[in-house]
Amino acid sequence: MGRVAIWIACVLLLAVTCQGKGAPGHRVRVGYYNRKCPAAEIIVRAVVGKAVSRNPGLGAGIIRMAFHDCFVQGCDASVLLDPTPANPRPEKLGPPNFPSLRGFEVIDAAKAVLERVCPRVVSCADVIAFAARDSAFFLSSSRIDYKMPAGRFDGSVSLESEALQFLPPPFFNLTQLVDSFKAKNMNEDDLVVLSGAHTIGVSHCSSFTDRLPPNPSDMNPGLTRLLQSKCPVSPNFTNDPTVAQDIVTPNRMDNKYYTNLIKRNVLFTSDAALLTSGKTATKVMENAFIPGSWEKKFAKAMVKMAAIELKTAANGEIRRNCRVVNK
């Protein structure tokens, strides 16, 4: 990653080739910025690569951010909006996002470079989509790599209540999970595949203490003892440690999540739920034991998710600052 600074310096020289200051159209397509801002994807990948090399957890946070953004108001960067007097409780302050969601500073850094090179051209929503893809690329040692269509608009509505309404919590059962995905035109295969993102990153103890004694669960006793040694009996806002979601390869994106799941070495009720039906259990087995299968399906599911409820010119914009709507 020593070349990152050189990459950024080089792409800054491409500023003279950036075309215009207009907003992207509402039809997303691969290579959308080839003429408008040819350095766009290079810039985002360089910034993400530098961040992930310092802290792999930031990459996990950005992948989670993409999911949390797209399931609420569509893929429109609404999750990035800061509180204002007019809207004191945006999505990012909702319990599903605060204080656990990470990576905002990486999006800010990428957007800052883009605004110097191609002002008012690249949407924050596209930055999230590119950054999630690039996080997966680096965390998987390039095994997950795919083309991401672009041309999204940024939204202006961001409500804590909608984060609670649309983001499936870790205690959901399979029926609830399937329904929440179906509401976003995502199917059971997408659910099982995207759950595999739990192969990276950490979780607060409060997200899974419902599966620790004295509560009944089918968690592997060895993992139960490990978690009990790290988590307080009653986590609260001031005492809520984090633990790795994947105890085998915590900093690498791979299919170990599925072998962990089969061995009952997973944290959440929503993870364990994937084995409660024959259909989803079969998909778990495929992802666990067919080499390369999960990585290909994950790439496809991420592209599908990144097309949820996109904004158009009528209800979107290209934010200059990802944290605030344009004036």
Side-chain angles (χ1 to χ4, degrees):
M1 295 310 304
R3 296 175 295 174
V4 169
I6 298 174
W7 291 348
I8 294 177
C10 290
V11 298
L12 285 171
L13 296 176
L14 292 173
V16 295
T17 67
C18 294
Q19 304 293 318
K21 296 182 180 181
H26 67 274
R27 292 182 62 188
V28 295
R29 66 177 185 274
V30 172
Y32 181 84
Y33 293 109
N34 286 353
R35 292 179 60 83
K36 294 173 178 291
C37 184
E41 296 191 48
I42 301 171
I43 289 170
V44 176
R45 179 158 290 197
V47 172
V48 170
K50 184 176 181 180
V52 172
S53 70
R54 293 196 311 263
N55 182 358
L58 289 175
I62 292 168
I63 294 169
R64 182 169 176 249
M65 179 190 294
F67 175 78
H68 282 218
D69 182 45
C70 288
F71 266 56
V72 183
Q73 286 285 332
C75 306
D76 67 347
S78 55
V79 74
L80 301 180
L81 289 173
D82 280 344
T84 65
N87 183 29
R89 302 297 302 180
E91 290 171 37
K92 64 165 49 173
L93 293 186
N97 296 320
F98 184 80
S100 60
L101 201 60
R102 295 186 290 170
F104 294 108
E105 70 275 21
V106 182
I107 304 300
D108 289 339
K111 179 63 171 175
V113 179
L114 289 166
E115 284 300 300
R116 292 200 298 271
V117 174
C118 307
R120 303 187 297 281
V121 172
V122 183
S123 70
C124 299
D126 279 342
V127 176
I128 293 176
F130 292 149
R133 183 229 8 227
D134 297 337
S135 294
F137 173 82
F138 289 112
L139 292 171
S140 69
S141 299
S142 76
R143 287 190 299 273
I144 299 174
D145 193 16
Y146 54 94
K147 297 183 183 300
M148 174 57 74
R152 295 166 187 80
F153 280 91
D154 299 323
S156 58
V157 176
S158 183
L159 302 172
E160 174 188 24
S161 60
E162 292 192 345
L164 288 165
Q165 179 181 356
F166 293 111
L167 292 173
F171 54 79
F172 261 13
N173 63 34
L174 185 60
T175 299
Q176 292 169 315
L177 290 168
V178 170
D179 287 346
S180 67
F181 269 63
K182 187 181 297 184
K184 301 299 175 181
N185 293 318
M186 304 288 281
N187 58 34
E188 288 184 17
D189 196 43
D190 300 320
L191 165 62
V192 175
V193 168
L194 291 176
S195 294
H198 291 169
T199 186
I200 192 78
V202 298
S203 171
H204 285 272
C205 291
S206 58
S207 295
F208 56 80
T209 47
D210 62 315
R211 294 199 353 113
L212 297 180
N215 303 305
S217 83
D218 63 353
M219 185 182 288
N220 186 303
L223 179 59
T224 298
R225 289 190 294 271
L226 174 65
L227 297 176
Q228 285 182 299
S229 73
K230 294 178 177 294
C231 294
V233 175
S234 300
N236 55 55
F237 192 77
T238 59
N239 185 19
D240 194 4
T242 60
V243 299
Q245 294 190 116
D246 179 347
I247 61 174
V248 180
T249 54
N251 291 320
R252 188 165 70 242
M253 268 195 99
D254 53 29
N255 70 337
K256 290 295 186 294
Y257 165 80
Y258 297 99
T259 53
N260 289 342
L261 176 54
I262 293 167
K263 295 176 181 178
R264 314 287 179 173
N265 283 323
V266 288
L267 300 184
F268 309 132
T269 297
S270 58
D271 292 326
L274 301 183
L275 293 180
T276 59
S277 89
K279 185 175 181 180
T280 54
T282 298
K283 297 178 187 298
V284 168
M285 297 293 180
E286 292 171 354
N287 292 329
F289 298 118
I290 301 177
S293 174
W294 173 71
E295 289 84 354
K296 292 178 182 177
K297 288 191 284 189
F298 183 80
K300 184 178 179 181
M302 288 292 285
V303 171
K304 181 179 178 181
M305 183 183 73
I308 293 175
E309 299 169 11
L310 300 184
K311 299 292 188 289
T312 68
N315 62 354
E317 63 181 9
I318 307 301
R319 282 186 225 141
R320 296 177 180 86
N321 179 338
C322 290
R323 293 176 177 266
V324 296
V325 298
N326 295 338
K327 295 182 179 179

